[in-house]
Amino acid sequence: LPLVVADPARIKQILYHLVANAIKFSTDGGSVAVRGWLREEGAGPAALVLEVEDEGIGMEPAAREEIFRPFTQIDGSTRRRFEGAGLGLALVHEATTLHGGSVEVESEPGRGSVFRVTIPLGATAVDPRSDPATTAREEASCLGP
């Protein structure tokens, strides 16, 4: 299997913000599901796919265009239910774009949302048998400081 050569801190940041957003907007008694997989060549280029699904409040189609802009919130009133500066999804978009990837959102009001991040492997795929030094560096960087 190929390894994904990416900034592990950015991948963690992407997941953190997607999960925090899903929890924040999940309804009482709702659930959050986190999935990840390597997409094989055939359905497009090989890629790392991260998906976060919530059973939350969902959003209108027009809001899906705006949520990735910094400091943007769907409910801009001073009495809004959900707190935050409106930066989490903007950071997800920026980190994903820096890796050459994309962010998709499927959502329906009252039914929740699915956020899907796709980061292409392309030239970033490394066969661990061909470059043990790169593999060792990546494994060490995932362990943290």
Side-chain angles (χ1 to χ4, degrees):
L1 288 176
L3 292 178
V4 177
V5 179
D7 182 347
R10 294 293 169 248
I11 301 299
K12 289 177 191 175
Q13 180 185 47
I14 289 168
L15 278 173
Y16 171 82
H17 287 294
L18 287 177
V19 171
N21 190 69
I23 291 169
K24 184 190 311 185
F25 291 101
S26 196
T27 57
D28 293 337
S31 65
V32 173
V34 179
R35 294 179 279 279
W37 64 92
L38 289 177
R39 183 181 71 195
E40 306 265 338
E41 298 250 2
L48 170 66
V49 181
L50 305 171
E51 188 174 86
V52 177
E53 180 176 4
D54 67 68
E55 295 177 338
I57 62 171
M59 66 188 97
E60 297 289 340
R64 289 182 241 159
E65 302 292 324
E66 302 295 318
I67 58 174
F68 296 108
R69 291 183 28 204
F71 305 109
T72 299
Q73 296 177 337
I74 294 172
D75 180 3
S77 72
T78 57
R79 300 175 56 94
R80 67 179 181 255
R81 177 178 165 202
F82 305 103
E83 295 297 321
L87 287 174
L89 293 176
L91 291 170
V92 166
H93 185 265
E94 180 181 357
T96 302
T97 302
L98 288 172
H99 280 89
S102 63
V103 184
E104 300 171 28
V105 61
E106 299 169 16
S107 187
E108 189 176 327
R111 294 195 171 261
S113 302
V114 178
F115 286 84
R116 188 173 306 105
V117 171
T118 304
I119 299 173
L121 296 178
T124 63
V126 175
D127 183 341
R129 296 169 298 223
S130 67
D131 190 353
T134 301
T135 303
R137 281 193 306 275
E138 290 302 316
E139 288 173 357
S141 68
C142 289
L143 298 176

